[in-house]
Amino acid sequence: MIRVAAVGDIHLGPGSAGALRPAFATLGDCADLLLLAGDLTRHGTREEARVVAGEVAGLGVPVIAVLGNHDYQSDQEEAVAQELTAVGVHVLEGTGTVLDVGGTKVGVAGTKGFCGGFAGRSGSEFGEPEMKAFIRYTRTCADGLAGALRELREGGCDLRIALTHFAPVPDTLAGEPLEIYPFLGSYLLAEAMDEAGADLAVHGHAHSGTEHGMTAGGVRVRNVAMPVIDRAFAVYHLPGRVEAPAGP
Amino acid sequence: MTSHDMVEYRIAHLLDRLAREDLAELGVRVEAHGAGVLVRGGVSSPECRAEVLRFAAEELAGLEWREDVTVCRPGPPDHSEELS
């Protein structure tokens, strides 16, 4: 069994140092890895990222993160990623990482993702350059995620998890105003997951949404925004590698 | 009637201020509700909650408004979910 802990939208900064550390210190007892689904800071500054790094440094379980829109607010996203990487966090953007958890190869592919809306009700690459660039950026994120998931499959991963900040499905937005759905996620992310395959999708961003959803292709989706799960992290148990029966 | 009197613009100005000022709070909902305005959502700290309510008091001054802003619990989970 693989125990996946996950949380997003922790929005830390100076003043909140130590807020999550007591809970995170229990991860070694209940989880094999921790996923951070973006919006780790408020304004995306290096100073705030240092607070996040301090919360997750030396937890004893691997930590894998994507950034969120807040982490881009000060145009210092590279510095934010650097601070996290410096304490051993795997920061993903169109990339993946592979962990060996008790003999099971667990792959995590991640992208911040972006918005644009959901199937049948989405923006498209049409019209003004700004509109085309908007949707093209979402497509680039989705293509990066699909590519990373495919690489994990080709690398022989037993279990693959898709980690994003923006939502891949509208299911987990229930509770948010319908009018803002196009700003909360994009079907292109779900399509990437369904085409490349994943065992679980984890995202944040939608503070008023709900935890459970599923892509059209059957990938289970969990919204782990901290206001949604109302705890320091959620834990999901997934089956590990099934050993072939011993020969006679 | 000026934009100051129109509830929907007052709400929009509060949401804009919550996002743009130091608080950078995008997770709070502000909506016309009953005869007034409702401010609700979950925030990450008591300090953040106090700031949200301070902004609301300033931007919604003169209007009838209520709040239901909660602080998220940062404790460890007491259960896990089995995904077969």
Side-chain angles (χ1 to χ4, degrees), chain A residues 9-11 42 226, chain B residues 25 42-46 48-49 70-72 74:
Chain A
D9 305 80
I10 56 178
H11 294 294
R42 285 207 163 275
M226 205 174 141
Chain B
E25 179 55 68
V43 298
S44 56
S45 69
C48 182
R49 181 177 183 279
T70 56
V71 177
C72 298

Side-chain angles (χ1 to χ4, degrees), chain A residues 114-118 121 166-167 169-187 205-206 208-210, chain B residues 29:
Chain A
F114 199 49
C115 42
F118 298 92
R121 294 165 175 80
F166 284 84
V169 293
D171 312 26
T172 46
L173 306 182
E176 296 281 2
L178 272 173
E179 295 88 336
I180 69 166
Y181 276 29
F183 302 108
L184 297 177
S186 166
Y187 79 94
H205 192 53
S208 299
T210 51
Chain B
R29 289 175 62 178

Side-chain angles (χ1 to χ4, degrees), chain A residues 168-220:
Chain A
V169 293
D171 312 26
T172 46
L173 306 182
E176 296 281 2
L178 272 173
E179 295 88 336
I180 69 166
Y181 276 29
F183 302 108
L184 297 177
S186 166
Y187 79 94
L188 294 171
L189 298 170
E191 192 175 27
M193 295 168 191
D194 284 336
E195 284 184 1
D199 298 287
L200 175 68
V202 170
H203 74 89
H205 192 53
H207 291 203
S208 299
T210 51
E211 187 178 355
H212 291 210
M214 186 174 276
T215 66
V219 179
R220 282 168 299 202

